[in-house]
Amino acid sequence: MTTTPRWRALTRHHLFWPVAVLVILLLVNVPFTPDFFSVKMTDGHLYGSLVSIVLFGSPLILVAVGMTLVIATGGIDLSVGAVVAITGALTCSYISDQADQDALSGVLLAMAIGLAAAVLCGLWNGFLVARMGIQPIIATLIIMVAGRGVAQLITDGQIITVNSEPYKLIGGGYWLTLPFSIFVVAAVVAVTVALTRRTALGLLVESVGGNAEASRLVGIRSRRIKIMVYVFCALCAGIAGLMISSNTSAADGNNAGLWIELDAILAVVIGGTSLLGGRFSIGGTVVGALVIQTLTTTIYTIGVPTQTNLVFKAAVVIIVCLMQSPKFRAKVFGGGRFGGRRSAERGAAPADAATTPETVRTMEVS
């Protein structure tokens, strides 16, 4: 195998262009921050720009992983930002009412209440989509709008602050020199990959996304699959809500998780998962979330006005999606799969031309 076919095979991998964009974004920061790739140990904790990217990108990774399975079934979940706000508001509200905010039992109970509310939101979304037949974008829009108001009611329109060391561990604490949130994200991603790639669950999700009615006719309970993925997505958003409120030691019903649903969808698209449903990539989603977070960090590093943040995100998404398109690469760079097909057709032309009527009659006689 020559170098060119190897390079073509590499560029056709669904993770090549997201990873390439991620590397480019990381390298862009070096001229502005020479020690961008340096990681330092201070007071037994690792600090550095790379660590910060993973730390602040952890909530987005969680939400995007849950969003991946929803999109794989042909749906969408716009309510994850509101679920983030509701979970953080309930948890911090309960902890703030405790006489001893450092009591582990009280913190665990508060977290359970917040995650239970997230699961209920997921059940509601799944019920509307799978049982009532409402379009996912409409069904989840209900909690996106109303959920933010519910979070405001829970916090009474105020920012609730807490002072709990056990709770701060989730989003702002360290364990084994690394941010604790990294271990939480790694555990969730590992469990998700194990369930979707080591069992038949992943194939069931893809079959429902490919054709839900056909899946139902062959015996797959597509409705249950849809409800399950919406519950899982809401649970991931709930864990992200715990991280965000824990990192700031406060619950802001108005701004917590604001527009995180858009970043999650962008991360899923960058990772190569089709919005039409079907095949998905958890690894691609993780890379896509890191691209979004690295882009945000790069914007702050090079001094670009934050008002243009969304414009840069849109530009990166367009570039990655175009580079992932075989048709676009064939038109711009030439060759590739389509170029090979044209070459094969040109090579086959003489053989076709040689098959004349006389040749056919000779073959029939023989």
Side-chain angles (χ1 to χ4, degrees), residues 91-280:
T91 305
C92 289
S93 178
Y94 186 88
I95 293 177
S96 64
D97 292 336
Q98 301 301 305
D100 183 10
Q101 296 188 10
D102 290 331
L104 183 60
S105 59
V107 172
L108 292 177
L109 180 58
M111 292 169 54
I113 293 173
L115 293 179
V119 170
L120 287 177
C121 291
L123 282 172
W124 173 255
N125 289 333
F127 172 76
L128 293 180
V129 173
R131 294 294 180 180
M132 302 303 294
I134 300 177
Q135 289 292 329
I137 193 172
I138 302 300
T140 57
L141 188 64
I142 296 173
I143 292 185
M144 178 185 178
V145 177
R148 188 71 62 176
V150 171
Q152 292 273 37
L153 289 175
I154 296 172
T155 61
D156 198 21
Q158 306 295 322
I159 297 179
I160 298 178
T161 59
V162 296
N163 187 18
S164 173
E165 289 299 324
Y167 186 61
K168 189 173 180 60
L169 173 66
I170 302 172
Y174 282 77
W175 186 54
L176 299 178
T177 72
L178 290 173
F180 185 76
S181 60
I182 294 179
F183 295 98
V184 176
V185 170
V188 172
V189 172
V191 170
T192 305
V193 171
L195 291 177
T196 56
R197 296 309 182 193
R198 299 298 180 182
T199 69
L201 181 60
L203 293 176
L204 297 179
V205 171
E206 290 179 344
S207 66
V208 171
N211 192 322
E213 182 62 20
S215 300
R216 186 187 66 82
L217 292 176
V218 298
I220 298 175
R221 297 177 176 178
S222 57
R223 292 181 177 178
R224 291 190 179 183
I225 296 294
K226 287 184 178 181
I227 293 175
M228 179 193 65
V229 296
Y230 279 98
V231 169
F232 177 73
C233 183
L235 180 61
C236 289
I239 299 174
L242 296 180
M243 282 186 181
I244 293 174
S245 59
S246 168
N247 192 28
T248 59
S249 295
D252 186 352
N254 186 41
N255 295 312
L258 190 63
W259 308 125
I260 196 173
E261 57 273 0
L262 300 183
D263 285 345
I265 295 172
L266 292 180
V268 174
V269 172
I270 290 175
T273 299
S274 173
L275 290 176
L276 299 177
R279 308 190 71 174
F280 62 92

Side-chain angles (χ1 to χ4, degrees), residues 255-317:
N255 295 312
L258 190 63
W259 308 125
I260 196 173
E261 57 273 0
L262 300 183
D263 285 345
I265 295 172
L266 292 180
V268 174
V269 172
I270 290 175
T273 299
S274 173
L275 290 176
L276 299 177
R279 308 190 71 174
F280 62 92
S281 172
I282 299 297
T285 295
V286 173
V287 175
L290 291 176
V291 168
I292 296 297
Q293 183 59 45
T294 304
L295 178 60
T296 303
T297 302
T298 303
I299 290 174
Y300 288 120
T301 300
I302 64 180
V304 176
T306 57
Q307 295 85 348
T308 61
N309 196 336
L310 295 177
V311 177
F312 274 82
K313 286 182 180 179
V316 171
V317 171

